[in-house]
Amino acid sequence: MFHFNMSLTRHDLENPQQMLEQLGQSLAIIIELLLPLFAVIIIASVGSSLILGGWMFRPANIQPKLSKLNPLSGIKRMFSSRSVVELIKSSLKVAVIFALLYTYLDSNFSQLLGMQKLTLNQGITLVMTILFEGLLLMGVALLIFGVIDIPTSVTST
């Protein structure tokens, strides 16, 4: 794709229609490349919700409930003990994820700064390694949060 976008002639650059066609073709290539990833994400999200609670589509849930528009009941729900507990849990999750990310980036800071002395291939390899390890660390942390949080959420409802 890099070669495709960098092989334009001067005439191509002066023609706005050609530039739009080039952009459209590039976007089509990107979408084609990312489509399998999006499919996996959609299947995983639908599958995980089906595993947790099953298929729960009810037309009655779509109908508007005017009782839900009462601002006083909304304020009561907003400041209930359950919502305060959920706020504390979410804040702790964000703090732990931030601390993990900060610690990980801090431990790799010298490598990232020294990357400018590497060749292009070495630099790309280093960045991909750091990115993969960081994503793996975040994934494990989120998995641990899920393993802890799902049973507590199911038993509290």
Side-chain angles (χ1 to χ4, degrees), residues 40-61:
V40 168
I41 291 171
I42 290 171
I43 290 169
S45 62
V46 170
S48 64
S49 66
L50 287 175
I51 289 171
L52 286 177
W55 188 260
M56 300 177 84
F57 178 75
R58 295 185 195 111
N61 291 341

Side-chain angles (χ1 to χ4, degrees), residues 29-87:
I29 291 170
I30 290 172
I31 289 172
E32 185 179 318
L33 290 173
L34 292 177
L35 204 56
L37 176 67
F38 292 153
V40 168
I41 291 171
I42 290 171
I43 290 169
S45 62
V46 170
S48 64
S49 66
L50 287 175
I51 289 171
L52 286 177
W55 188 260
M56 300 177 84
F57 178 75
R58 295 185 195 111
N61 291 341
I62 297 175
Q63 295 175 346
K65 297 176 185 159
L66 297 178
S67 62
K68 296 277 186 177
L69 295 177
N70 185 0
L72 291 177
S73 64
I75 289 174
K76 288 178 187 175
R77 277 194 311 267
M78 198 165 38
F79 293 108
S80 69
S81 61
R82 180 183 170 109
S83 60
V84 170
V85 168
E86 289 297 321
L87 174 68

Side-chain angles (χ1 to χ4, degrees), residues 14-153:
E14 292 172 353
N15 184 359
Q17 185 62 32
Q18 176 66 28
M19 295 300 293
L20 286 175
E21 288 177 17
Q22 188 83 8
L23 178 65
Q25 290 172 353
S26 297
L27 287 175
I29 291 170
I30 290 172
I31 289 172
E32 185 179 318
L33 290 173
L34 292 177
L35 204 56
L37 176 67
F38 292 153
V40 168
I41 291 171
I42 290 171
I43 290 169
S45 62
V46 170
S48 64
S49 66
L50 287 175
I51 289 171
L52 286 177
W55 188 260
M56 300 177 84
F57 178 75
R58 295 185 195 111
N61 291 341
I62 297 175
Q63 295 175 346
K65 297 176 185 159
L66 297 178
S67 62
K68 296 277 186 177
L69 295 177
N70 185 0
L72 291 177
S73 64
I75 289 174
K76 288 178 187 175
R77 277 194 311 267
M78 198 165 38
F79 293 108
S80 69
S81 61
R82 180 183 170 109
S83 60
V84 170
V85 168
E86 289 297 321
L87 174 68
I88 292 170
K89 281 187 346 185
S90 297
S91 299
L92 283 172
K93 288 177 192 176
V94 168
V96 168
I97 294 280
F98 179 76
L100 279 173
L101 183 61
Y102 178 79
T103 305
Y104 181 71
L105 286 177
D106 190 45
S107 68
N108 290 306
F109 190 66
S110 61
Q111 284 183 320
L112 289 170
L113 284 180
M115 189 177 65
Q116 61 188 341
K117 297 177 185 173
L118 301 175
T119 65
L120 181 62
N121 288 338
Q122 291 172 334
I124 290 173
T125 302
L126 176 67
V127 167
M128 295 309 271
T129 302
I130 291 173
L131 182 65
F132 177 74
E133 289 173 355
L135 289 174
L136 189 63
L137 180 68
M138 292 298 121
V140 168
L142 291 174
L143 182 68
I144 291 170
F145 287 146
V147 167
I148 293 170
D149 194 35
I150 290 174
T152 59
S153 295

